[in-house]
Amino acid sequence: MAKESRRYRPNLLITGTPGCGKTTTCELLQRRLPDFTYYNISEFAEKHKCYEGYDKDRKSHIVDEDKLLDELEPLLHEGKSIIDWHVNDVFPERLIDLVVVFRCDNSILFDRLHARGYHEAKIQENLDAEIMGVVLQDAMESYEQEIVVELQSNTTEDMDSNVDRIVAWEKNWVEQHPEGVTNELPEYLAKKQGKKAAQEESESDSESESASESESEADEESESEDKE
Ligand SMILES: Nc1ncnc2c1ncn2[C@@H]1O[C@H](COP(=O)(O)OP(=O)(O)OP(=O)(O)O)[C@@H](O)[C@H]1O
Ligand SMILES: [Mg+2]
């Protein structure tokens, strides 16, 4: 039997609305965790040509998530990864140990995005996403709540304390997992994913039932129109 693949250091996912401070913080973090590998996913996708098109309105490439994961997943088996991306719900749950969601006050975020020269619609789209907490919500829906941590990133003091907290968390994880953790699907996640799939299936069944109901209503309507 093939030996089970395990990691002995955690994979850290650093996420948040564009401009919240992921990359700046990750650069500081990597200095404190020098044996970790830093993956800026926007750059990684470009380097590995993980694109499936171009969004003219957003003036950005559309990332092919399947190709991205094909390239990235084997690298995550080693652990010791810092992953930096504003999208967080694409990474396999079994390979992520901590999800940090950076948050930022709107006026500060406006100034940062404006300084980047983003056009008004793009600034507004990101400010709306930050107000509604879209990234945090995605993280809560995609990972166990215990591993999702929300941190403010408004000031340089915030940034320093965030780096300290993540470094302390990493040290603690290593102490608590002397045997490492499996890269394969653990039982509790298999059960959870099975339940989720069954729930989605029943939701899509009831959606298609109500769609066919409204179809038949529409048929009746058109029949009655025909009669008139
Ligand atoms: N906590 C903070 N305090 C002060 N300035 C910050 C903080 N976080 C980020 N900044 C500044 O805000 C700008 C945007 O930060 P950064 O590029 O790290 O964001 P990002 O989350 O990586 O964005 P993107 O998703 O677009 O890559 C940078 O100029 C950075 O110096
Ligand atoms: Mg960045």
Side-chain angles (χ1 to χ4, degrees):
M1 213 175 95
K3 199 168 170 284
E4 185 202 25
S5 157
R6 297 183 79 76
R7 60 181 180 277
Y8 296 88
R9 302 286 293 277
N11 288 323
L12 316 174
L13 173 55
I14 311 295
T15 189
T17 308
C20 274
K22 300 179 292 295
T23 303
T24 320
T25 309
C26 284
E27 279 163 7
L28 294 176
L29 184 61
Q30 213 210 344
R31 281 190 228 156
R32 299 274 299 276
L33 298 171
D35 43 358
F36 273 58
T37 309
Y38 168 57
Y39 299 104
N40 181 319
I41 297 300
S42 306
E43 288 169 11
F44 185 92
E46 188 179 353
K47 187 171 162 204
H48 295 272
K49 306 267 176 302
C50 307
Y51 292 144
E52 59 180 5
Y54 188 77
D55 184 334
K56 275 193 209 150
D57 294 337
R58 290 205 169 83
K59 296 199 181 93
S60 62
H61 291 281
I62 302 162
V63 173
D64 179 339
E65 290 171 0
D66 290 335
K67 180 143 197 282
L68 169 73
L69 285 183
D70 284 349
E71 297 282 347
L72 186 69
E73 181 169 337
L75 304 171
L76 299 183
H77 286 186
E78 253 197 89
K80 293 189 285 183
S81 309
I82 303 170
I83 307 162
D84 164 357
W85 208 23
H86 62 280
V87 181
N88 63 57
D89 55 2
V90 297
F91 305 102
E93 197 177 353
R94 70 193 149 80
L95 295 178
I96 301 296
D97 302 294
L98 177 70
V99 185
V100 176
V101 183
F102 284 140
R103 302 303 304 272
C104 186
D105 288 351
N106 245 247
S107 60
I108 297 176
L109 190 57
F110 174 86
D111 290 344
R112 290 184 194 165
L113 297 176
H114 192 257
R116 277 183 177 178
Y118 278 9
H119 56 83
E120 208 180 311
K122 194 166 175 175
I123 295 180
Q124 198 54 53
E125 186 182 29
N126 286 313
L127 293 181
D128 289 348
E130 183 55 16
I131 287 180
M132 291 189 291
V134 173
V135 178
L136 178 65
Q137 199 179 331
D138 286 349
M140 289 296 208
E141 283 169 11
S142 308
Y143 303 94
E144 292 286 310
Q145 297 206 358
E146 298 83 67
I147 70 157
V148 178
V149 180
E150 182 185 10
L151 296 176
Q152 293 300 317
S153 180
N154 293 315
T155 61
T156 49
E157 289 76 23
D158 287 342
M159 197 156 18
D160 290 341
S161 85
N162 292 342
V163 171
D164 287 345
R165 282 184 70 167
I166 299 168
V167 171
W169 184 93
E170 197 278 329
K171 190 166 175 274
N172 195 31
W173 187 95
V174 174
E175 282 166 11
Q176 288 184 351
H177 300 86
E179 311 290 326
V181 294
T182 182
N183 286 319
E184 283 145 37
L185 194 62
E187 207 176 318
Y188 80 96
L189 276 184
K191 273 192 197 152
K192 178 176 151 186
Q193 289 173 6
K195 265 191 209 159
K196 205 173 169 187
Q199 194 184 348
E200 279 167 7
E201 204 172 302
S202 78
E203 274 169 14
S204 78
D205 280 354
S206 59
E207 266 168 32
S208 61
E209 265 172 36
S210 59
S212 57
E213 269 168 29
S214 55
E215 254 169 46
S216 65
E217 276 167 23
D219 284 350
E220 279 165 25
E221 273 171 28
S222 66
E223 269 173 31
S224 60
E225 270 172 28
D226 288 346
K227 279 178 205 154
E228 276 168 15

